[in-house]
Amino acid sequence: MSRSALVLFSGGQDSATCLAWALTRYEHVETLGFHYGQRHQIELERRPIVISGLRQLNPEWSVRLADDHMLNLGILGDISDTALTRETEIAMQENGLPNTFVPGRNILFLTVAAALAYRRGIKTLVGGMCETDYSGYPDCRDESLRALEHALQLGMQTDMTLETPLMWLTKAATWTLADTLGGKALVELIRTETHTCYLGQRDTLHAWGYGCGACPACELRAYGYKYYSAGTAA
Ligand code: ZN
């Protein structure tokens, strides 16, 4: 197993859980975030707060946490007309995909991440993509990501691998994973400091964290937290 990893870290619940997962497995962990013309910058503003929270939570994680990179992929916002990059209502499209889908986003993110990892001598990429509770995004499917991993290995002539620890987990299981990795302190850090809400709202703290409580991202997060809490209380 390689000893270093590059984690795609947006500041949301899933990528924060992936970052904790990587910190339990790799001795050197770098993080990468992207500007891509998101409507809301709140998620990105949470990144350094979550990273510093992880450092305080565990001295070993603090040693392992290395460079944090931010790259600008504003070209995605120039190309895409989606509810994540424009001020439009979140809605289902005729092709069965919600208009929060940013075409090519994960493919571009992972390709850029692989190029950065190559330059940094890192052989493992970690991403929070998930097929179980996903919104139907085709670039979150395991088959899409395995194909991309293969393309990156061939195209960069490297044995770089792509780890997706949340791929088969429900949202409740993602909360449970955080609990397993870092106990209640990590769950509390993720609950209060990460951001998932599509509308960028952060004025009300719910049982499951901050958000509008009504957008698809908030609904999924709340649903998962409810079942996680019920499971551990039982
Ligand atoms: Zn929301």
Side-chain angles (χ1 to χ4, degrees):
M1 193 182 78
S2 67
R3 300 169 76 175
S4 58
L6 176 65
V7 180
L8 279 79
F9 177 57
S10 66
Q13 177 193 350
D14 289 348
S15 63
T17 308
C18 281
L19 180 51
W21 179 88
L23 288 167
T24 62
R25 279 165 179 74
Y26 301 93
E27 292 174 1
H28 175 99
V29 177
E30 301 190 11
T31 43
L32 170 61
F34 296 106
H35 293 286
Y36 62 94
Q38 298 96 317
R39 263 166 71 178
H40 305 290
Q41 298 295 316
I42 287 187
E43 212 183 35
L44 295 179
E45 289 167 12
R46 306 313 298 170
R47 296 178 77 261
I49 298 166
V50 174
I51 288 175
S52 113
L54 290 168
R55 283 188 188 283
Q56 287 167 24
L57 219 60
N58 184 321
E60 191 176 40
W61 291 0
S62 188
V63 171
R64 293 178 168 196
L65 271 164
D67 304 49
D68 180 35
H69 311 269
M70 279 300 300
L71 292 173
N72 191 343
L73 289 181
I75 190 172
L76 265 181
D78 297 340
I79 299 167
S80 300
D81 185 14
T82 77
L84 290 190
T85 53
R86 298 265 191 281
E87 292 290 335
T88 49
E89 284 285 306
I90 296 172
M92 198 55 79
Q93 304 176 120
E94 279 177 17
N95 63 2
L97 289 173
N99 64 350
T100 48
F101 175 59
V102 182
R105 178 173 57 173
N106 279 338
I107 295 170
L108 193 56
F109 280 7
L110 287 163
T111 304
V112 170
L116 177 65
Y118 187 97
R119 183 168 63 78
R120 306 283 300 166
I122 295 173
K123 292 290 184 65
T124 306
L125 301 177
V126 181
M129 300 81 182
C130 169
E131 184 159 332
T132 312
D133 274 336
Y134 75 150
S135 306
Y137 296 167
D139 58 352
C140 287
R141 287 185 304 208
D142 192 54
E143 189 180 357
S144 305
L145 296 171
R146 296 283 73 93
L148 181 59
E149 177 185 56
H150 189 52
L152 292 170
Q153 287 169 348
L154 287 175
M156 294 190 188
Q157 199 167 319
T158 164
D159 54 359
M160 194 178 297
T161 56
L162 168 60
E163 297 288 344
T164 51
L166 310 187
M167 181 55 73
W168 308 111
L169 301 187
T170 61
K171 284 289 169 200
T174 299
W175 285 108
T176 304
L177 174 61
D179 198 333
T180 308
L181 294 168
K184 296 289 180 240
L186 178 60
V187 171
E188 189 59 10
L189 176 72
I190 291 173
R191 187 181 81 91
T192 57
E193 302 295 4
T194 66
H195 189 87
T196 313
C197 175
Y198 282 153
L199 302 184
Q201 289 193 13
R202 233 188 131 67
D203 14 328
T204 314
L205 179 60
H206 306 272
W208 43 268
Y210 288 96
C212 72
C215 76
C218 282
E219 280 182 356
L220 254 185
R221 181 167 166 145
Y223 179 85
Y225 191 81
K226 184 177 146 196
Y227 282 91
Y228 154 72
S229 307
T232 50

